[in-house]
């Protein structure tokens, strides 16, 4: 299979030097509301979490209806197909593939018929014991349509069903390992499930009498809902005409929220497990400035993910903030890839320096993370070409030295530059005058007494949940 950072998809060459986002989920239970449209708007707000496919399933008390397809939310849905949905319960999903290829068959929600009726499921995260579970299911005669770990969960729920969905989900959770934030729809219920370490986000909101569950609070704000709370580790919630009920499935040994959500994945206007993302990113920038002091004329962000941290760095250091790089916001998935002779255009098409601001200046350039280092090398060269005298690259994350197995595509370890090189070597490779990564201690200090509540495995190698010996995005396809 092609590596994650090969240019195997249109437009990926532009952004392939970043960890890839994962998936976003949304669910709503609201009598008298146009739940399909509200889900559509919720998914729009979660679009940054996955751009490969989108889907919505709606239930009306008797049946579950599904529409899904490849592409962005507005490419899959229009007024006509949304109008066809009738019902008072809906779930939705936007996907970037972390297990299984980018194929229509792998788009979610997955909707199935089981002994109790119909069920739809949408999943954010990655199971770490999917191969073992799959083998068990195969040996019991299971068949699969997709190559996603989410279908394994559907199968396990269906096989554990005897009297109720709640019981089936609880039994299933005993065997699931890894990261899973789930929304589940039946003909007359909405359920949501968060894994016992609460690795991936999932929060609950209220819109009048309606209940909403979603990956990020920005989706709540978009539809006018209020954030009620984040789901607890190992919690199952069930929403039906009796209101919301909560079951605590397992008492977690510890919380392990993905710290990369705060660094890069989540939207700045979201609040996640008690922390506003923008506020955290600014604090990362301030901490960077305390750790790495340098004389410079400007602090510039690599937009957009480096912007909040760059502002924090400027506040703490007193060095003026400038928008030195302009981002082209209109490069989409369908952009035609440049041929080999035009490869140098790749970064410039996305980010272009403003020569009038930057020529003759010393700059601190703030970005969120470095994966392979290819984009940073080109950015530094671009800045030098327009006359910048000194470029100090500051990263608001520690070096990424290990792969993620919990739902973010950080790439294979062999492709991670910091897994193979010392910081001084990386500085020489990207030809910067200075390079500083935020220290892990400094990052955790931002969270004070809650510093132990995070997964930091891609920086520390300390995985909160055992990782598979052989794993990869395509492991169910071999
Ligand atoms: S390994 Fe890194 S990206 Fe994956 S869940 Fe942990 S902190 Fe997040």
């Amino acid at each position: 299979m092609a590596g994650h950072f090969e240019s195997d998809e249109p437009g990926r060459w532009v952004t392939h030097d970043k960890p890839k986002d994962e998936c976003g989920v949304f669910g709503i239970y609201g009598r008298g509301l146009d739940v399909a449209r509200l889900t559509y708007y919720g998914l729009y707000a979660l679009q940054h979490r996955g751009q490969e496919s989108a889907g919505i399933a709606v239930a009306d008390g008797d049946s579950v209806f599904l529409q899904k397809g490849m592409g962005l939310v507005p490419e899959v849905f229009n007024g006509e197909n949304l109008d066809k949905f009738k019902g008072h319960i809906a779930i939705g999903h936007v996907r970037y593939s972390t297990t299984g290829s980018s194929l229509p068959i792998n788009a979610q929600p997955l909707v199935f018929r089981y002994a109790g009726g119909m069920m739809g499921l949408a999943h954010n995260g990655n199971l770490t014991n999917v191969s073992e579970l799959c083998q068990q299911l195969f040996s019991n005669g299971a068949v699969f349509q997709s190559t996603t770990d989410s279908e394994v969960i559907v199968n396990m729920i269906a096989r554990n069903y005897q009297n109720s969905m709640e019981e089936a989900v609880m039994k299933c959770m005993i065997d699931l390992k890894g990261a899973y934030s789930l929304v589940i729809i039946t003909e007359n219920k909405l359920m949501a499930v968060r894994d016992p370490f609460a690795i991936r986000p999932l929060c609950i909101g209220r819109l009048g009498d309606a209940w909403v569950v979603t990956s990020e609070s920005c989706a709540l704000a978009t539809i006018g809902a209020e954030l009620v709370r984040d789901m607890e580790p190992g919690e199952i919630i069930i929403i039906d005409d009796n209101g919301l009920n909560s079951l605590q499935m397992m008492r977690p040994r510890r919380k392990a929220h993905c710290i990369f959500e705060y660094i890069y994945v989540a939207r700045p206007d979201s609040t996640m497990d008690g922390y506003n993302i923008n506020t955290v990113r600014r604090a990362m920038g301030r901490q960077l400035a305390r750790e790495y002091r340098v004389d410079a004329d400007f602090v510039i962000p690599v937009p957009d993910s480096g912007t909040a941290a760059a502002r924090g760095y400027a506040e703490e250091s007193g060095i003026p903030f400038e928008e030195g790089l302009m981002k082209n916001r209109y490069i989409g998935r369908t952009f035609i890839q440049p041929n080999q002779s035009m490869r140098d255009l790749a970064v410039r098409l996305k980010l272009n320096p403003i020569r009038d601001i930057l020529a003759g200046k010393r700059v601190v350039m703030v970005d969120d993370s470095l994966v392979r280092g290819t984009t940073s090398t080109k950015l530094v060269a671009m800045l030098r070409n327009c006359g910048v005298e000194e470029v100090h690259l500051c990263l608001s994350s520690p070096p990424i030295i290990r792969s993620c197995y919990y739902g973010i595509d950080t790439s294979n370890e062999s492709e991670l530059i910091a897994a193979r090189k010392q910081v001084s070597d990386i500085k020489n490779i990207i030809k910067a005058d200075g390079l500083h990564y935020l220290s892990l201690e400094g990052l955790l200090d931002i969270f004070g007494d809650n510093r132990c509540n995070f997964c930091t495995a891609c920086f520390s190698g300390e995985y909160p949940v055992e990782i598979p010996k052989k794993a990869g995005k395509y492991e169910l396809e071999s």
Side-chain angles (χ1 to χ4, degrees), residues 36 76 218 299 312 355 475:
V76 176
C218 65
V299 179
R355 184 180 290 268
E475 66 177 308

Side-chain angles (χ1 to χ4, degrees), residues 192-415:
V193 183
R194 200 172 183 194
D195 71 68
F197 289 84
I199 297 175
R200 303 259 71 89
L202 198 57
C203 62
I204 305 170
R206 201 86 216 250
L207 177 67
D209 292 335
W211 289 101
V212 187
V213 283
T214 185
S215 300
E216 287 189 37
S217 67
C218 65
L220 298 175
T222 299
I223 63 161
E226 296 284 331
L227 173 65
V228 175
R229 66 175 173 89
D230 294 281
M231 280 186 62
E232 293 295 323
E235 185 181 10
I236 303 171
I237 62 161
I238 305 109
I239 303 163
D240 56 19
D241 279 345
N242 298 319
L244 182 146
N245 278 300
S246 165
L247 299 172
Q248 188 59 50
M249 174 52 195
M250 301 174 184
R251 282 282 154 213
R253 284 194 305 276
R254 57 162 292 204
K255 291 177 180 170
H257 308 315
C258 170
I259 209 159
F260 218 84
E261 292 275 355
Y262 298 87
I263 294 166
Y264 173 69
V265 179
R267 241 172 66 162
D269 52 335
S270 286
T271 293
M272 198 169 271
D273 291 304
Y275 294 93
N276 168 255
I277 302 295
N278 183 63
T279 306
V280 169
R281 287 185 188 160
R282 268 178 120 112
M284 289 170 184
R286 286 198 294 276
Q287 179 62 25
L288 263 178
R290 287 192 285 272
E291 292 181 6
Y292 184 74
R293 283 267 174 194
V294 63
D295 272 343
D297 299 301
F298 295 128
V299 179
I300 63 168
V302 178
D304 292 319
S305 50
T307 302
R311 287 196 186 278
Y313 191 105
E315 281 160 12
E316 182 70 25
S317 65
I319 301 169
F321 174 92
E322 268 293 353
E323 300 269 8
L325 291 164
M326 280 317 293
K327 181 176 175 179
N328 184 337
R329 296 176 200 284
Y330 302 100
I331 295 179
R333 291 174 321 103
T334 52
F335 194 85
I336 299 165
Q337 294 187 39
N339 57 30
Q340 202 56 40
S341 65
M342 294 179 177
R343 275 294 157 106
D344 283 348
L345 284 178
V347 174
R348 193 180 294 258
L349 277 163
K350 189 174 180 203
L351 293 167
N352 198 33
I354 305 174
R355 184 180 290 268
D356 289 351
I357 291 175
L358 298 173
K361 304 295 186 204
R362 299 161 302 163
V363 302
V364 175
M365 178 166 71
V366 181
D367 202 354
D368 57 90
S369 58
L370 206 65
V371 176
R372 293 193 311 176
T374 46
T375 300
S376 302
T377 306
K378 287 185 175 138
L379 275 177
V380 171
M382 242 161 51
L383 292 177
R384 292 210 191 283
N385 282 343
C386 74
V388 173
E389 277 186 6
E390 281 180 30
V391 185
H392 298 265
L393 177 60
C394 280
L395 299 158
S396 59
S397 71
I400 303 174
I401 55 167
R402 301 295 301 272
S403 293
C404 176
Y405 298 89
Y406 308 137
I408 290 188
D409 191 352
T410 47
S411 181
N412 296 327
E413 262 162 55
S414 61
E415 295 169 313

